[in-house]
Amino acid sequence: MLTKAPRGTKDILPAEVPQWRFFEEKAREACRLFGYSEIRIPMFEHTELFLRGVGEVTDIVAKEMYTFTDKGGRSLTLRPEGTASVARAYLEHKMQGEAQPVKVFYTGPMFRYDRPQAGRYRQFHQFGVEAFGSQEPALDAEVVMLALFFLQSLGLDKLTLHLNSVGCPECRSRYRESLRAALRGKVKELCPDCGERYEKNPLRILDCKNERCQAVTKEAPLLADELCNGCREHFAAVRAALDALGVAYVLNPRLVRGLDYYTKTAFEIMAPGLGAQSSICGGGRYDHLVATIGGPDIPGIGFAIGIERVLLALAAAGSGGAEAAAPDVFVATAGVTPAEALPYVMELRKAGLAAEMDFLNRSLKAQLKLADKKGIRYVVLLGEAELQAGQATVKDMQSGMQEAVSLGGLCAYLAERLKEEN
Ligand SMILES: [Zn+2]
Ligand SMILES: [Zn+2]
């Protein structure tokens, strides 16, 4: 127990961190170009926020939340997603008074008690964006473009964009009845989950991965055919905006989000290399979310991208091979103790050079081997006699060339050599 992380959690080891930073840097850069500012939301919220803002009938809220009572008797929940928190922050800080739309992004861990599988963890990480305060279809197109632009900047191509409109509460409640009517005699053929969904949330039956459920719903009516005029026009305008940008997409009428605050545009982006569940980005409009958590009726749209899933897709595509940078300098000693060497190492660091040294009293030969293994280009040899003469020897590990350098001029000499290298 003590030497094993909890099920569904994962250490991100030093060798993996460059990939994560690569992801995060590209995300920041894409958001900067698109005008989305970073927001940092708390790791936990009042449970009530997720009950309302994610929805009690969702799997997330019904089965997967990490909920606990704190010492003050409050029910709190580790955030299972970011959108509800951002909507709460928008209201709490009266951002409706700022210039609209308010466009923000976040990255960080989320928590869901889910069955762990490839690329899916109980503590997982998301990068997401949200834009509040506009129903303009061009904003939907911008959000889709941001997701695509970002994923492409990582080196992922072969992306497939799936697009749908889930309508508004008005056209959807009409559609819900026609879907129930169409499935009425077939409820027993559905999987147990969908049996429950039939009453509570029948739209979700359409995106069930169970083959039997897919067969049962094959002939079912589609929401796309029953949109009200307002929703139909909005969807046409979103598609026209994407067409004008030359973006290819698949119209997927089975792409649904069952809750009433989700409205109009829904989209997913798929990447190869992840097996059957190949979605790496899900997004769409939620024009009634802010009202659902107690605010005025303010529209919003956003997406979330699972970082672990994207890193898997990148590995499958053989792309994004970021590596940790090696230190600049290794200070090797002969007849000089680590404590005596440390002040010289510190001088190098203060001059902006990443410097390493030996702490195990290795032989000089073993120290050179270590520097080589770490991929360090320059080794500074500090010997007893050299120190007395105020000198060190700098060895270029690539060419094998050695040069005597005065200790006073060491930092400037190495800085110059490293500058040439870059
Ligand atoms: Zn509608
Ligand atoms: Zn099902």
Side-chain angles (χ1 to χ4, degrees):
M1 277 279 271
L2 289 180
T3 55
K4 206 162 181 347
R7 186 164 147 81
T9 67
K10 183 186 175 303
D11 299 305
I12 300 160
L13 297 171
E16 300 167 271
V17 166
Q19 284 285 357
W20 286 73
R21 291 179 66 150
F22 171 68
F23 181 105
E24 288 157 4
E25 277 157 23
K26 293 290 185 187
R28 286 207 159 74
E29 175 61 4
C31 286
R32 186 183 72 80
L33 293 173
F34 280 69
Y36 288 70
S37 312
E38 182 168 7
I39 186 167
R40 301 193 181 195
I41 45 180
M43 220 63 88
F44 56 85
E45 298 271 0
H46 293 116
T47 301
E48 188 66 23
L49 176 68
F50 300 121
L51 295 184
R52 301 254 226 121
V54 180
E56 293 187 57
V57 299
T58 59
D59 285 352
I60 296 176
V61 170
K63 301 175 191 166
E64 298 172 358
M65 293 212 300
Y66 278 94
T67 297
F68 61 97
T69 306
D70 76 359
K71 291 198 190 325
R74 301 169 194 88
S75 179
L76 300 171
T77 295
L78 298 182
R79 61 185 191 195
E81 55 107 66
T83 305
S85 299
V86 176
R88 194 264 311 136
Y90 176 89
L91 287 172
E92 182 169 348
H93 304 289
K94 302 187 172 54
M95 294 187 212
Q96 63 269 42
E98 299 174 10
Q100 308 291 302
V102 168
K103 306 199 294 185
V104 295
F105 77 94
Y106 58 82
T107 60
M110 307 291 163
F111 306 87
R112 292 183 198 172
Y113 190 82
D114 199 359
R115 186 149 25 99
Q117 46 185 308
R120 293 200 187 271
Y121 299 92
R122 288 177 177 172
Q123 177 179 328
F124 62 103
H125 297 74
Q126 283 188 337
F127 155 50
V129 313
E130 320 289 354
F132 289 99
S134 168
Q135 288 191 308
E136 166 58 43
L139 180 61
D140 302 46
E142 177 184 87
V143 168
V144 170
M145 289 311 291
L146 172 50
L148 287 172
F149 180 92
F150 161 66
L151 292 168
Q152 284 161 353
S153 79
L154 294 176
L156 285 174
D157 43 13
K158 302 198 185 89
L159 299 169
T160 313
L161 170 64
H162 284 214
L163 194 64
N164 193 22
S165 172
V166 297
C168 63
E170 218 175 289
C171 50
R172 202 162 43 221
S173 70
R174 269 204 314 270
Y175 169 70
R176 202 175 281 131
E177 286 320 308
S178 58
L179 182 61
R180 277 204 191 102
L183 297 178
R184 187 151 295 142
K186 302 172 182 168
V187 180
K188 286 203 176 63
E189 297 168 45
L190 298 169
C191 76
D193 282 346
C194 287
E196 274 179 43
R197 287 172 184 147
Y198 178 81
E199 287 303 332
K200 290 188 202 158
N201 198 357
L203 267 72
R204 291 296 311 277
I205 299 173
L206 294 176
D207 72 351
C208 181
K209 303 288 180 269
N210 187 304
E211 280 177 26
R212 253 182 8 216
C213 299
Q214 289 185 353
V216 170
T217 56
K218 209 167 173 197
E219 305 293 324
L222 295 171
L223 177 53
D225 300 324
E226 299 189 21
L227 293 175
C228 68
N229 284 338
C231 291
R232 192 177 314 125
E233 279 164 24
H234 190 273
F235 193 36
V238 172
R239 284 180 349 240
L242 290 172
D243 291 339
L245 290 159
V247 177
Y249 50 84
V250 178
L251 289 176
N252 180 354
R254 284 175 178 269
L255 184 58
V256 297
R257 318 185 80 176
L259 298 170
D260 273 347
Y261 56 75
Y262 287 119
T263 50
K264 302 190 172 93
T265 310
F267 68 95
E268 273 187 28
I269 298 172
M270 320 288 180
L274 294 170
Q277 295 179 315
S278 59
S279 171
I280 52 172
C281 171
R285 263 198 179 275
Y286 40 83
D287 287 347
H288 302 300
L289 170 62
V290 175
T292 300
I293 64 168
D297 217 354
I298 289 171
I301 178 167
F303 67 70
I305 290 179
I307 303 185
E308 285 88 351
R309 304 268 299 153
V310 168
L311 294 184
L312 269 184
L314 275 175
S319 159
E323 274 177 35
D328 300 318
V329 183
F330 190 93
V331 175
T333 55
V336 174
T337 67
E340 288 167 334
L342 191 53
Y344 298 99
V345 175
M346 283 306 303
E347 285 305 309
L348 294 167
R349 289 170 177 163
K350 284 180 201 160
L353 302 168
E356 281 250 42
M357 60 177 279
D358 169 54
F359 289 101
L360 294 181
N361 292 298
R362 289 177 177 85
S363 70
L364 181 58
K365 196 176 154 198
Q367 290 179 64
L368 289 172
K369 215 166 132 184
L370 179 64
D372 194 45
K373 196 174 146 197
K374 285 175 179 276
I376 300 175
R377 174 80 184 264
Y378 295 102
V379 170
V380 172
L381 295 164
L382 281 185
E384 214 180 338
E386 286 168 303
L387 273 190
Q388 271 162 16
Q391 280 202 330
T393 304
V394 176
K395 179 171 181 175
D396 182 339
M397 297 293 280
Q398 222 165 67
S399 66
M401 295 272 283
Q402 300 202 51
E403 203 168 337
V405 179
S406 77
L407 284 172
L410 189 58
C411 292
Y413 173 85
L414 283 165
E416 190 57 35
R417 297 290 295 267
L418 284 159
K419 211 169 79 190
E420 280 167 26
E421 195 188 314
N422 293 325

